Amino acid sequence: MAGPSALRVEARSLTLPGGTCASFAVAGYPREVGAGWLEPLLTYPGRLDVALHVEPVPPLVAAQRLRRQLARLESTSRADAERGRLADFGAEAAADDAADLAASLARGHGRLFRVGLYLTVHAPTAEQLREEADRVRALAASLLLDSHPTTFRALQGWTTTLPLGEDSLSVRRAFDTAALAAAFPFTSPDLEPLLGPTPTLFGLNAHSSGPVLWDRFAQDNHNSVTLARSGAGKSYFTKLEVLRLLYQGVHVAIVDPEDEYRRLAGSVGGTCIALGAPGVHVNPFDLPPGGEADTLTRRALFLQTLVATMFGEPLAPATRAVLDRAVIATYAAAGITSDPRTWKRPAPLMADLAAQLDLAAAGEGASGNGAAELSARLAPWVSGSYAGLFTGPTTTAPTGHLQVFSLRDLPEETRPVGMLLALDAIWRQVADPADRRRRLVVVDEAWTLMHQDAGARFLYRLAKSARKHWAGLAVVTQDAADLLSCDLGRAVIANAATQVLLRQAPQVIAEVAEAFDLTDGEQAFLLAADRGEGLLCGTTGAGGAADRAAFTAIASPAEHRLATTDPAELAHLHTIAGTPAAFDEDGRAGRAEDGDEGGDTL
């Protein structure tokens, strides 16, 4: 650790290059405290270092010390009574506290700790240091903390508050488990979250600077919805949560319309599948090698949803019946039946379905059953401009702890179809009972899918069923109006226990406020929020009441490099790495050549 080039030690202060500092040791504490009672010290507006040194006391030693303390207090009380003195209420209160602590230790409900609390105040000049020190001591006194300057031990006081883990002052006080837990301000004063074993840091509280922690897998359901206008930082925030969930072993799959998650996948060893790129194919007829008895039926039903999304409108009942017969005939022609042993055979392609429709049309006669019309409408997806995705068997199966389905190479007209195919591939993994684990499915720019009725229904089914498979669905969109204007969109929001609102546009704030029951102050905050600032809404309060916390997303330098999409920053990063940056017509950084991001790029 690099230290200052020189310093001057005085009786009560220390002069460092560029400023001076003074340290204080806390010797007196309040008798009763609440959760996060040290929060005012950590949110002090000036430069103040707060160090809390904790040393556990072995249970046997703690019991012996408590017995001696109880004996001293009891003997003092009896001596005062024998001499006719008035009762010492402080000694009686101390005796009661010691007795309660001894009982807690005996039952194994808590432990004893030796705790030291130290403060170091920094200022540019000695005069300003005296003013800052007076303010800090006044703040400590308001918390009923008795702070004393480290006279003639200024150097030891300063080193004690450095992140070295060394207590050179040893001004300790006994704390039990409850008191020590209350000293840690790792909670938001506006939020009472259900924290499981893997809480995620969302950011700092916008009003108190305390950490805002949230565990989506400890809520009633694991789904979330993130709404924000363009440029508010919703993708940046989502990348930070994804990274922190990956640290905890959560498997993440992302539907990425704008190729914003490629660098992230490459840096953490994930897989990126670029739908629409030359040579990349997805076969919707694929069957899992080991599925349930109704797997073939479910695949046929999904193909009906897929075709409806291709056409951009719901299928008529007659058309749906024709398509269902053609799908079953297509599988039968490939030797695939309801027998799971046949599912290992090569799956048919979309061209095979078109051939079956042509056969049906040739044999239907004058009455007709719509097969010819259905085949004609499928022609662009089989042999026309949109056939790139379906011209061959699936080129690769998504694997790995982070899977990104990039849709940027798809034409705008085929993006809903590509998003639906990506979600289907992800859902088949999520619903696999042989591979049950915590998963998160992220759908960025979900408004693309919500435009289609079939796609919106598919997303709704994911939101309803994800929890049963230990998975969460994260819906991220900048078009709040599309999500709130339809019943299915509102149902997706209603099935999300985690709701994140970033900066909103004035044109939609009224709809957002009505949907999320926002106060006037919360609406004003969202309209004026800076990039990365938002409102976390949970439903974990008593009786299902909503808990709210305004927060600012924070990132470490390494996380920021992976999450940023600022073209200037990306160009600077490429320059540092010695590789020129390539940008597309939208100003985004282009793809790395030869897979130099380090992941599997397909």
Side-chain angles (χ1 to χ4, degrees):
M1 177 180 175
S5 57
L7 55 86
R8 184 172 70 244
V9 181
E10 300 177 356
R12 291 193 175 186
S13 63
L14 204 65
T15 301
L16 304 169
T20 181
C21 66
S23 299
F24 301 88
V26 176
Y29 296 84
R31 182 172 180 268
E32 295 182 358
V33 295
W37 61 282
L38 289 181
E39 183 80 20
L41 290 177
L42 295 183
T43 57
Y44 180 73
R47 182 181 174 186
L48 174 65
D49 297 334
V50 181
L52 191 69
H53 292 262
V54 181
E55 177 187 349
V57 180
L60 181 59
V61 176
Q64 292 173 349
R65 291 180 179 176
L66 281 173
R67 280 197 296 269
R68 288 198 296 267
Q69 181 70 6
L70 279 171
R72 284 196 295 268
L73 293 172
E74 183 65 24
S75 63
T76 300
S77 179
R78 289 183 180 180
D80 290 342
E82 290 174 357
R83 295 189 176 108
R85 296 174 181 173
L86 294 175
D88 187 346
F89 297 108
E92 290 182 358
D96 292 340
D97 291 343
D100 292 340
L101 182 55
S104 176
L105 292 177
R107 294 185 176 91
H109 294 167
R111 293 191 60 182
L112 200 64
F113 302 86
R114 296 180 66 240
V115 178
L117 178 61
Y118 309 100
L119 314 173
T120 295
V121 188
H122 295 263
T125 64
E127 181 64 29
Q128 292 177 337
L129 179 63
R130 284 191 291 270
E131 297 176 0
E132 288 291 323
D134 290 341
R135 295 193 187 99
V136 169
R137 296 194 69 181
L139 175 60
S142 69
L143 300 175
L144 301 183
L145 296 175
D146 187 12
S147 58
H148 298 273
T150 56
T151 306
F152 299 115
R153 302 186 70 186
L155 179 60
Q156 289 84 347
W158 176 62
T159 57
T160 297
T161 56
L162 292 177
L164 302 175
E166 294 291 336
D167 185 357
S168 303
L169 297 176
S170 296
V171 181
R172 304 290 184 89
R173 177 71 178 268
F175 275 48
D176 65 350
T177 303
L180 180 59
F184 285 86
F186 295 154
T187 58
S188 167
D190 305 322
L191 196 65
E192 298 179 1
L194 294 174
L195 295 183
T198 54
T200 303
L201 175 65
F202 272 28
L204 296 181
N205 191 288
H207 304 302
S208 65
S209 300
V212 175
L213 301 175
W214 189 260
D215 189 349
R216 67 164 62 235
F217 291 98
Q219 313 308 317
D220 294 338
N221 62 67
H222 315 324
N223 301 333
S224 68
V225 59
T226 302
L227 300 181
R229 64 181 297 179
S230 178
K234 60 185 183 302
S235 295
Y236 186 95
F237 166 76
T238 303
K239 292 175 192 175
L240 294 182
E241 186 188 8
V242 166
L243 268 174
R244 291 159 187 173
L245 288 175
L246 289 174
Y247 299 154
Q248 301 169 3
V250 178
H251 282 230
V252 181
I254 303 173
V255 181
D256 177 15
E258 298 297 337
D259 205 30
E260 292 183 304
Y261 295 81
R262 178 183 292 269
R263 289 188 304 114
L264 176 62
S267 299
V268 301
T271 301
C272 185
I273 302 175
L275 299 181
V280 177
H281 308 300
V282 177
N283 184 11
F285 286 85
D286 285 339
L287 291 171
E292 300 178 356
D294 62 344
T295 297
L296 184 62
T297 301
R298 291 182 178 275
R299 189 89 317 236
L301 293 175
F302 169 74
L303 285 167
Q304 295 180 23
T305 301
L306 179 65
V307 172
T309 305
M310 290 175 175
F311 294 170
E313 61 183 17
L315 298 179
T319 304
R320 187 177 292 274
V322 171
L323 179 60
D324 184 63
R325 290 194 296 268
V327 168
I328 299 301
T330 302
Y331 275 116
I336 298 175
T337 65
S338 58
D339 186 354
R341 291 175 297 180
T342 65
W343 297 350
K344 296 182 180 180
R345 295 173 180 172
L349 302 176
M350 192 66 71
D352 299 321
L353 174 62
Q356 290 294 329
L357 289 171
D358 290 338
L359 287 176
E364 67 186 8
S367 59
N369 60 7
E373 180 184 356
L374 193 57
S375 176
R377 297 187 67 179
L378 276 178
W381 302 91
V382 175
S383 57
S385 303
Y386 304 152
L389 275 177
F390 308 108
T391 55
T394 300
T395 52
T396 184
T399 57
H401 57 282
L402 175 61
Q403 304 162 13
V404 176
F405 292 82
S406 175
L407 309 181
R408 190 178 67 170
D409 292 326
L410 287 173
E412 194 68 32
E413 295 79 6
T414 63
R415 283 200 178 187
V417 174
M419 184 174 287
L420 190 61
L421 288 173
L423 284 173
D424 174 64
I426 294 169
W427 186 248
R428 280 187 279 175
Q429 298 181 64
V430 171
D432 185 1
D435 187 21
R436 191 74 75 221
R437 63 185 70 188
R438 288 187 308 158
R439 300 179 188 271
L440 178 65
V441 181
V442 179
V443 183
D444 204 345
E445 303 299 349
W447 61 270
T448 306
L449 198 60
M450 297 301 295
H451 276 303
Q452 306 288 340
D453 181 72
R457 291 185 179 277
F458 191 80
L459 197 65
Y460 170 70
R461 289 199 297 269
L462 292 185
K464 292 284 286 186
S465 305
R467 183 183 179 277
K468 301 176 183 178
H469 303 282
W470 206 10
L473 173 66
V475 176
V476 184
T477 182
Q478 69 180 20
D479 201 335
D482 281 352
L483 199 62
L484 297 173
S485 60
C486 64
D487 293 337
L488 292 176
R490 288 192 294 270
V492 169
I493 294 177
N495 282 277
T498 304
Q499 301 164 353
V500 179
L501 305 176
L502 302 178
R503 186 172 63 210
Q504 300 295 319
Q507 293 80 3
V508 298
I509 190 63
E511 297 179 61
V512 173
E514 181 181 359
F516 294 91
D517 194 21
L518 300 181
T519 65
D520 292 341
E522 290 168 342
Q523 295 180 51
F525 171 77
L526 293 177
L527 288 173
D530 291 332
R531 181 177 299 178
E533 289 185 348
L535 188 67
L536 169 61
C537 306
T539 54
T540 62
D547 290 326
R548 307 286 174 89
F551 71 96
T552 302
I554 58 171
S556 68
E559 290 175 326
H560 177 74
R561 286 193 294 271
L562 296 178
T564 183
T565 54
D566 186 350
E569 291 189 45
L570 293 177
H572 180 65
L573 292 176
H574 279 276
T575 302
I576 294 177
T579 59
F583 293 92
D584 61 15
E585 64 274 10
D586 295 327
R588 293 186 175 86
R591 299 176 180 171
E593 296 295 328
D594 300 324
D596 60 354
E597 291 287 0
D600 297 327
T601 303
L602 307 175

